[in-house]
Amino acid sequence: MKPWLWLPPKLAHDFSPWAIDLYSLFQSEIIPTWNSFTWKNLVFKNRLGLAGGVDKNADHLPAWSRLGCGFVEIGTVTPLPQKPNAGKIFDRSVQDQALWNKMGFPSAGAEEVFFNLKSFKESATLPVLINIGKNRTTANELAHVDYVQLVHHFHSVADAFVVNISSPNTSGLRDLAKPESLELFLKPLAESQRDYDIQKPILLKLSPDLEPDELKRILDSAVKHEIDGFVLTNTTLARNTQKQFPTEGGLSGLPVQLQAKKALKVAVAHLGSEKTKKLVISVGGVMTAEDVFERISLGADLIEVYSALIFSGMHFFRKVARTAHEYKQEPTN
Ligand SMILES: Cc1cc2nc3c(=O)[nH]c(=O)nc-3n(C[C@H](O)[C@H](O)[C@H](O)COP(=O)(O)O)c2cc1C
């Protein structure tokens, strides 16, 4: 029974923050650790985490921990607070197992999110990745200033950064991944790390709509600038559902599954021996436990979900943990 799917999509979405906190409070069972993983001193109790966009302002971190997440990606956080795009910004189709959104980085802004994260980090060890994005009023030529500012702002509390240059909902954002912009964009980001003794990994979150050659070129630039990993992928502008969604905005869930898997395969093959040094996170259309273990078999180090939480429910992390032994994912405690 999934009563939230009876509610209108936007109402269910607005109601979910309270539901997450409440539901998690009633979870007393200890979630089995599976296939734990250590990378650059970060310890992941399991490989499954929360995708960017679910907990944009780091408001629910204790709840994710109780629900059995191996890690959480918060954000997208922008330097200054900003409201969502005007008009309709969220919809779903149960028959297509699809979510549609045109949110455009609604964010409480760096100051408030820092405060939330700092309080959580004082007593918790759950790895938290911070997904960062530019304010919509910042021109692309100055985008790097927003991103570098966010890296400095969150450096003391971040376990890693996810640089979002792939949302289709901030005008021109995907242009930052084009050859003429990418080098200029990555250089100051990489340099921002040199100010610190302890460096925090920087990952790039990329679009599923890239052609394989475009993806390979971005990977090459990123490797050159010592970017530490990749989150593959964001939502798609492609349309392959029975329900007619607007042409703008991004689709998640089953409609992005094939593209996300293809991007993962292309990246793993192209990175070759370099892959052992990089963190590759697969996200997009992971709807079942079987999908999680398939992504691991395809070379993903970590997996993230958003849509599965809507269509299966918040017990998804627990369900995967319970199934892990069937996929020979060794328990580690
Ligand atoms: C409503 C909604 C909001 C999202 N917001 C963000 C965001 O702020 N930043 C981001 O990097 N990705 C965002 N995403 C994309 C997800 O992180 C993920 O890449 C995408 O949904 C594919 O995963 P899924 O098929 O498991 O949903 C959002 C997705 C949805 C459905």
Coordinates of all heavy atoms in Angstrom, one line a residue, residues 124-169:
A124 N 27.7 12.8 14.0 CA 27.4 11.7 13.1 C 28.6 11.4 12.2 O 29.4 12.3 11.9 CB 26.2 12.0 12.3
T125 N 28.7 10.1 11.7 CA 29.8 9.8 10.8 C 29.3 9.5 9.4 O 30.1 9.2 8.5 CB 30.5 8.5 11.4 OG1 29.5 7.5 11.5 CG2 31.2 8.8 12.7
L126 N 28.0 9.6 9.2 CA 27.5 9.3 7.8 C 28.1 10.3 6.8 O 28.1 11.5 7.0 CB 25.9 9.5 7.8 CG 25.2 9.2 6.5 CD1 25.1 7.7 6.4 CD2 23.8 9.8 6.5
P127 N 28.7 9.7 5.7 CA 29.3 10.6 4.7 C 28.3 11.5 4.1 O 27.2 11.0 3.7 CB 30.0 9.7 3.7 CG 30.1 8.4 4.4 CD 29.0 8.3 5.4
V128 N 28.6 12.8 4.0 CA 27.6 13.7 3.3 C 28.4 14.4 2.2 O 29.4 15.1 2.4 CB 27.1 14.8 4.3 CG1 26.1 15.7 3.6 CG2 26.3 14.1 5.5
L129 N 27.8 14.2 1.0 CA 28.3 14.9 -0.2 C 27.5 16.2 -0.4 O 26.3 16.1 -0.2 CB 28.2 14.0 -1.4 CG 29.2 12.9 -1.6 CD1 29.3 12.0 -0.4 CD2 28.8 12.0 -2.8
I130 N 28.1 17.3 -0.8 CA 27.4 18.5 -1.0 C 27.3 18.8 -2.5 O 28.3 19.1 -3.1 CB 28.0 19.7 -0.2 CG1 28.2 19.3 1.2 CG2 27.1 20.9 -0.3 CD1 28.8 20.4 2.1
N131 N 26.1 18.8 -3.0 CA 25.9 19.1 -4.4 C 25.7 20.7 -4.5 O 24.9 21.3 -3.8 CB 24.6 18.4 -4.8 CG 24.3 18.6 -6.3 OD1 24.3 19.8 -6.8 ND2 23.9 17.6 -7.0
I132 N 26.6 21.3 -5.3 CA 26.6 22.7 -5.4 C 26.2 23.2 -6.8 O 26.5 22.6 -7.8 CB 28.0 23.3 -4.9 CG1 29.1 22.7 -5.7 CG2 28.2 23.1 -3.5 CD1 30.5 23.2 -5.4
G133 N 25.6 24.4 -6.8 CA 25.1 25.0 -8.1 C 25.2 26.5 -8.0 O 25.3 27.1 -6.9
K134 N 25.1 27.1 -9.2 CA 25.2 28.5 -9.2 C 23.8 29.1 -9.0 O 22.8 28.5 -9.3 CB 25.8 29.0 -10.5 CG 24.9 28.9 -11.7 CD 25.6 29.5 -12.9 CE 24.6 29.6 -14.1 NZ 23.6 30.6 -14.0
N135 N 23.7 30.4 -8.5 CA 22.4 31.1 -8.5 C 22.0 31.3 -9.9 O 22.8 31.5 -10.8 CB 22.5 32.4 -7.7 CG 22.4 32.2 -6.2 OD1 23.4 32.4 -5.5 ND2 21.3 31.7 -5.8
R136 N 20.7 31.4 -10.2 CA 20.2 31.5 -11.6 C 20.6 32.9 -12.1 O 20.6 33.1 -13.3 CB 18.7 31.2 -11.7 CG 17.8 32.1 -11.0 CD 16.3 31.9 -11.4 NE 15.8 30.6 -11.0 CZ 15.2 30.4 -9.8 NH1 15.1 31.4 -8.9 NH2 14.8 29.2 -9.4
T137 N 20.8 33.9 -11.2 CA 21.2 35.2 -11.7 C 22.7 35.4 -12.1 O 23.1 36.4 -12.6 CB 20.8 36.3 -10.7 OG1 21.3 35.9 -9.4 CG2 19.3 36.5 -10.6
T138 N 23.5 34.4 -11.7 CA 24.9 34.4 -12.0 C 25.1 34.0 -13.5 O 24.7 32.9 -13.9 CB 25.7 33.5 -11.1 OG1 25.4 33.8 -9.7 CG2 27.2 33.6 -11.3
A139 N 25.8 34.9 -14.2 CA 26.1 34.6 -15.6 C 27.1 33.4 -15.7 O 27.9 33.2 -14.8 CB 26.7 35.8 -16.3
N140 N 27.0 32.7 -16.8 CA 27.9 31.5 -16.9 C 29.4 31.9 -16.9 O 30.2 31.1 -16.3 CB 27.6 30.8 -18.3 CG 26.6 29.7 -18.1 OD1 25.9 29.6 -17.1 ND2 26.5 28.8 -19.1
E141 N 29.7 33.1 -17.4 CA 31.1 33.5 -17.4 C 31.6 33.6 -15.9 O 32.8 33.5 -15.7 CB 31.3 34.9 -18.1 CG 30.9 34.9 -19.6 CD 29.5 34.7 -19.9 OE1 28.6 35.2 -19.1 OE2 29.2 34.0 -20.8
L142 N 30.7 33.9 -15.0 CA 31.1 34.0 -13.6 C 30.7 32.8 -12.7 O 30.8 32.9 -11.5 CB 30.5 35.3 -13.0 CG 31.1 36.6 -13.6 CD1 30.3 37.8 -13.0 CD2 32.6 36.7 -13.3
A143 N 30.2 31.8 -13.4 CA 29.7 30.6 -12.6 C 30.8 30.1 -11.7 O 30.5 29.7 -10.5 CB 29.3 29.5 -13.6
H144 N 32.0 30.0 -12.2 CA 33.1 29.4 -11.3 C 33.2 30.1 -10.0 O 33.6 29.6 -9.0 CB 34.4 29.4 -12.1 CG 34.9 30.8 -12.4 ND1 34.5 31.4 -13.6 CD2 35.8 31.6 -11.8 CE1 35.0 32.6 -13.6 NE2 35.8 32.7 -12.6
V145 N 32.9 31.5 -10.0 CA 33.0 32.2 -8.7 C 32.0 31.7 -7.7 O 32.3 31.5 -6.5 CB 32.7 33.7 -9.0 CG1 32.7 34.5 -7.7 CG2 33.7 34.3 -10.0
D146 N 30.8 31.4 -8.1 CA 29.8 30.8 -7.2 C 30.3 29.4 -6.7 O 30.2 29.1 -5.5 CB 28.4 30.6 -7.9 CG 27.6 31.8 -8.0 OD1 28.1 32.9 -7.7 OD2 26.4 31.7 -8.3
Y147 N 30.8 28.6 -7.6 CA 31.2 27.2 -7.2 C 32.4 27.3 -6.2 O 32.4 26.6 -5.2 CB 31.5 26.4 -8.4 CG 30.2 26.0 -9.2 CD1 29.7 26.8 -10.2 CD2 29.6 24.7 -8.9 CE1 28.5 26.4 -10.9 CE2 28.4 24.4 -9.6 CZ 27.9 25.2 -10.6 OH 26.8 24.9 -11.3
V148 N 33.3 28.1 -6.6 CA 34.5 28.2 -5.7 C 34.1 28.7 -4.3 O 34.6 28.2 -3.3 CB 35.6 29.1 -6.4 CG1 36.7 29.4 -5.4 CG2 36.2 28.3 -7.6
Q149 N 33.3 29.7 -4.3 CA 32.8 30.3 -3.1 C 32.1 29.2 -2.2 O 32.3 29.1 -1.0 CB 31.7 31.4 -3.4 CG 31.2 32.1 -2.1 CD 30.0 33.0 -2.5 OE1 29.9 33.5 -3.6 NE2 29.1 33.2 -1.6
L150 N 31.3 28.3 -2.8 CA 30.7 27.2 -2.1 C 31.7 26.2 -1.6 O 31.5 25.7 -0.5 CB 29.6 26.6 -3.0 CG 28.4 27.4 -3.3 CD1 27.6 27.0 -4.5 CD2 27.4 27.4 -2.0
V151 N 32.7 25.9 -2.4 CA 33.7 25.0 -1.9 C 34.4 25.5 -0.6 O 34.5 24.8 0.4 CB 34.8 24.7 -3.0 CG1 36.0 24.0 -2.4 CG2 34.2 23.9 -4.1
H152 N 34.7 26.8 -0.7 CA 35.3 27.4 0.5 C 34.4 27.4 1.7 O 34.7 27.1 2.8 CB 35.8 28.8 0.2 CG 37.0 28.8 -0.7 ND1 38.1 28.0 -0.5 CD2 37.3 29.6 -1.8 CE1 39.0 28.3 -1.5 NE2 38.5 29.2 -2.3
H153 N 33.1 27.8 1.4 CA 32.1 27.9 2.5 C 31.9 26.6 3.3 O 31.8 26.6 4.5 CB 30.8 28.4 1.9 CG 29.8 28.9 2.9 ND1 29.7 30.2 3.3 CD2 28.9 28.2 3.6 CE1 28.7 30.3 4.2 NE2 28.3 29.1 4.4
F154 N 31.9 25.5 2.5 CA 31.5 24.2 3.1 C 32.7 23.3 3.4 O 32.6 22.2 3.8 CB 30.6 23.4 2.2 CG 29.2 24.0 2.2 CD1 28.7 24.8 1.2 CD2 28.3 23.7 3.3 CE1 27.4 25.3 1.2 CE2 27.0 24.2 3.3 CZ 26.6 25.0 2.3
H155 N 33.9 23.8 3.1 CA 35.1 23.0 3.2 C 35.2 22.2 4.5 O 35.5 21.0 4.6 CB 36.4 23.7 2.9 CG 37.5 22.9 2.5 ND1 38.3 22.3 3.4 CD2 37.9 22.4 1.3 CE1 39.2 21.5 2.7 NE2 38.9 21.6 1.5
S156 N 34.9 22.9 5.6 CA 35.2 22.3 6.9 C 34.1 21.2 7.2 O 34.4 20.3 8.1 CB 35.1 23.3 8.0 OG 33.8 24.0 8.0
V157 N 33.0 21.2 6.6 CA 32.0 20.2 6.9 C 31.7 19.2 5.8 O 30.9 18.2 6.0 CB 30.6 20.9 7.3 CG1 30.7 21.5 8.7 CG2 30.2 21.8 6.3
A158 N 32.2 19.4 4.6 CA 31.9 18.5 3.5 C 32.8 17.3 3.5 O 34.0 17.3 3.9 CB 32.2 19.3 2.2
D159 N 32.2 16.1 3.1 CA 33.0 15.0 2.9 C 33.5 14.9 1.4 O 34.5 14.4 1.1 CB 32.2 13.7 3.2 CG 32.1 13.6 4.7 OD1 33.1 13.6 5.4 OD2 30.9 13.4 5.2
A160 N 32.7 15.5 0.6 CA 33.0 15.6 -0.9 C 32.0 16.6 -1.5 O 31.0 16.9 -0.9 CB 32.9 14.3 -1.6
F161 N 32.4 17.2 -2.7 CA 31.5 18.1 -3.4 C 31.0 17.4 -4.7 O 31.8 16.7 -5.3 CB 32.2 19.4 -3.7 CG 32.6 20.2 -2.5 CD1 33.8 20.1 -1.9 CD2 31.6 21.0 -1.9 CE1 34.1 20.9 -0.8 CE2 31.9 21.8 -0.8 CZ 33.1 21.7 -0.3
V162 N 29.8 17.7 -5.0 CA 29.3 17.3 -6.3 C 28.9 18.5 -7.1 O 28.1 19.3 -6.7 CB 28.0 16.4 -6.2 CG1 27.4 16.0 -7.6 CG2 28.3 15.1 -5.4
V163 N 29.7 18.8 -8.2 CA 29.5 20.0 -8.9 C 28.5 19.8 -10.0 O 28.7 19.0 -10.9 CB 30.9 20.4 -9.5 CG1 30.7 21.6 -10.5 CG2 31.8 20.8 -8.4
N164 N 27.3 20.4 -9.8 CA 26.2 20.2 -10.7 C 26.3 21.1 -11.9 O 26.0 22.3 -11.8 CB 24.9 20.4 -9.9 CG 23.7 20.0 -10.7 OD1 23.7 19.8 -11.9 ND2 22.5 20.0 -10.0
I165 N 26.6 20.5 -13.1 CA 26.6 21.3 -14.3 C 25.7 20.6 -15.3 O 26.0 20.6 -16.5 CB 28.1 21.5 -14.9 CG1 28.9 20.2 -14.9 CG2 28.8 22.5 -14.1 CD1 30.2 20.2 -15.7
S166 N 24.7 19.9 -14.8 CA 23.9 19.1 -15.7 C 22.4 19.2 -15.4 O 21.6 18.5 -16.1 CB 24.3 17.6 -15.5 OG 24.3 17.3 -14.1
S167 N 22.0 20.1 -14.5 CA 20.5 20.3 -14.4 C 20.0 21.0 -15.7 O 20.6 21.9 -16.1 CB 20.2 21.2 -13.2 OG 18.8 21.5 -13.2
P168 N 18.8 20.4 -16.2 CA 18.3 21.1 -17.4 C 17.4 22.3 -17.0 O 16.8 23.0 -17.8 CB 17.4 20.0 -18.0 CG 17.1 19.1 -16.9 CD 18.1 19.2 -15.8
N169 N 17.3 22.6 -15.7 CA 16.3 23.6 -15.2 C 16.9 24.9 -14.8 O 16.2 25.8 -14.3 CB 15.6 23.0 -14.0 CG 14.8 21.7 -14.4 OD1 14.3 21.6 -15.5 ND2 14.8 20.7 -13.5

